[in-house]
Amino acid sequence: MDKIYWPKEKITKGDLLLYYEKVAKWILPHLKDRPESMRRFPDGITGASFFQKNLLQHPDWVETAPINQVNYLMIQNEESLLFAANLGCIELHPFLSRVGKLKYPDYVIFDLDPKSASFEKVIEVAKTIHDVLDEIKVPSYCKTSGATGLHIAVPLGAKYTYDTAKRFAELIAKIVQKKIPQISTLERSLSKRKGKVYIDYHQNNMGQTIAAAYSVRARPKAPVSTPLKWEEVKKGLDPTAFTMKTIFQRLKKFGDLFAPVLKKGANLELALKN
DNA sequence: GCAGAAG
DNA sequence: CTTCTGCAACGCTGC
DNA sequence: GCAGCG
Ligand SMILES: [Mn+2]
Ligand SMILES: [Mn+2]
């Protein structure tokens, strides 16, 4: 329990458990009924890590979902959240869809990966995506990934298949890339990205996952994937300011800015006519 | 972090 | 008994 | 077909 997980910051496994206990109320709606991919760091962020999807053994009060011979953990309540954290799971990477409607994602994801590009460029790309979606009256929501990029979600209300979601994401990504070719790219090859922000729309596949809102990341300062207001997405935004420690001030002030992502979905047919 | 296999 | 090992996966893209 | 990518 006192095992050090973040050596520099002297954050312990106990602190991690405490964090997830406190944030449970906020994160659980984003995890419930979703097959989970756990990213585990049993020896802290400087130790070996691995993803785990297949849960071979677990107490019977932990719910799992068998999908293609893989027994996925589902984090349905505080107990199972702490069960995962106790396994050294720092990062939670849930499916975009829920069991019962597994083939229908609740949202589209644009995953902005800067690699060598500056965060300032990431902000510009995010704003452009927001503008393009605004123009066709499609609501979108932004969060820090907790690492170096941003995630933009478009709620779909589980009305469309992954294929439709991905094709929509691809269409928007191509429009955006054309508008700002100097700073954005759809190039999958790292060497060809060259200081540009990668607009990754390929995450919109069944079985693909991204870090959940309010998931901690195994990086210095224990940053948290943090939902933002669009007016905060501007030059000067510092994604590392949102951490295990500081997130609760925001939650108190703004509540869950990502709650709408789970609610009413966009009407893509209508949007594409605009 | 833990089960199961290998040594 | 102690020590080692695995623990995601899959669809796409471009050579 | 194979490697890189996330
Ligand atoms: Mn990313
Ligand atoms: Mn990505």
Side-chain angles (χ1 to χ4, degrees):
Chain A
M1 229 30 28
D2 294 332
K3 189 166 182 179
I4 300 282
Y5 269 19
W6 280 263
K8 236 185 180 155
E9 298 80 359
K10 296 202 175 64
I11 297 172
T12 65
K13 180 177 180 181
D15 295 327
L16 180 72
L17 285 161
L18 219 56
Y19 168 75
Y20 277 123
E21 187 185 351
K22 270 183 82 179
V23 90
K25 161 180 183 208
W26 303 101
I27 196 176
L28 282 172
H30 298 283
L31 301 178
K32 192 165 184 307
D33 298 328
R34 295 177 200 281
E36 201 69 45
S37 181
M38 293 186 282
R39 189 164 182 215
R40 296 176 55 191
F41 296 75
D43 297 309
I45 67 166
T46 55
S49 75
F50 55 92
F51 282 91
Q52 184 172 15
K53 292 180 164 180
N54 197 11
L55 198 59
L56 296 167
Q57 206 172 310
H58 57 87
D60 56 12
W61 47 266
V62 167
E63 260 188 75
T64 59
I67 302 164
N68 309 330
Q69 352 269 45
V70 176
N71 212 29
Y72 287 88
L73 167 68
M74 286 196 293
I75 296 182
Q76 305 294 65
N77 47 43
E78 186 177 318
E79 290 69 42
S80 43
L81 179 60
L82 296 180
F83 166 77
N86 192 49
L87 292 172
C89 174
I90 291 177
E91 302 187 356
L92 298 163
H93 298 246
F95 272 36
L96 276 54
S97 54
R98 289 164 293 162
V99 296
K101 276 206 145 192
L102 255 190
K103 295 186 166 161
Y104 302 87
D106 294 294
Y107 40 84
V108 169
I109 283 289
F110 297 91
D111 174 21
L112 306 185
D113 291 333
K115 273 297 180 301
S116 65
S118 66
F119 194 68
E120 215 164 292
K121 286 181 186 166
V122 179
I123 289 166
E124 278 317 300
V125 175
K127 284 166 75 173
T128 307
I129 293 176
H130 182 220
D131 289 344
V132 168
L133 291 170
D134 257 6
E135 233 162 273
I136 57 172
K137 306 266 196 313
V138 170
S140 57
Y141 300 85
C142 189
K143 68 182 179 75
T144 67
S145 73
T148 58
L150 290 171
H151 295 154
I152 296 168
V154 173
L156 293 183
K159 287 195 305 277
Y160 306 98
T161 62
Y162 275 101
D163 192 56
T164 303
K166 198 195 329 168
R167 281 185 355 240
F168 175 72
E170 179 181 9
L171 175 71
I172 300 299
K174 282 182 171 157
I175 292 169
V176 169
Q177 198 278 332
K178 215 165 184 177
K179 278 187 114 167
I180 45 172
Q182 329 84 309
I183 59 168
S184 66
T185 176
L186 304 178
E187 190 57 69
R188 286 173 77 81
S189 157
L190 276 171
S191 57
K192 289 182 185 166
R193 285 187 207 162
K194 289 241 185 189
K196 295 181 184 177
V197 177
Y198 178 43
I199 307 172
D200 182 1
Y201 60 86
H202 296 284
Q203 300 294 109
N204 299 288
N205 271 316
M206 165 112 137
Q208 300 291 98
T209 61
I210 58 146
Y214 310 112
S215 170
V216 190
R217 304 306 298 270
R219 303 174 63 88
K221 295 180 74 178
V224 167
S225 176
T226 303
L228 305 167
K229 299 184 174 200
W230 274 112
E231 64 244 40
E232 295 178 289
V233 183
K234 58 169 198 246
K235 198 171 156 180
L237 173 69
D238 176 12
T240 68
F242 308 121
T243 70
M244 244 168 80
K245 294 233 162 63
T246 65
I247 188 81
F248 293 102
Q249 303 164 10
R250 282 182 67 82
L251 284 168
K252 201 166 184 185
K253 223 189 319 183
F254 302 135
D256 177 15
L257 293 171
F258 239 48
V261 167
L262 301 175
K263 303 235 165 71
K264 193 172 177 298
N267 183 330
L268 294 188
E269 293 92 347
L270 201 65
L272 293 175
K273 262 187 258 169
N274 297 323

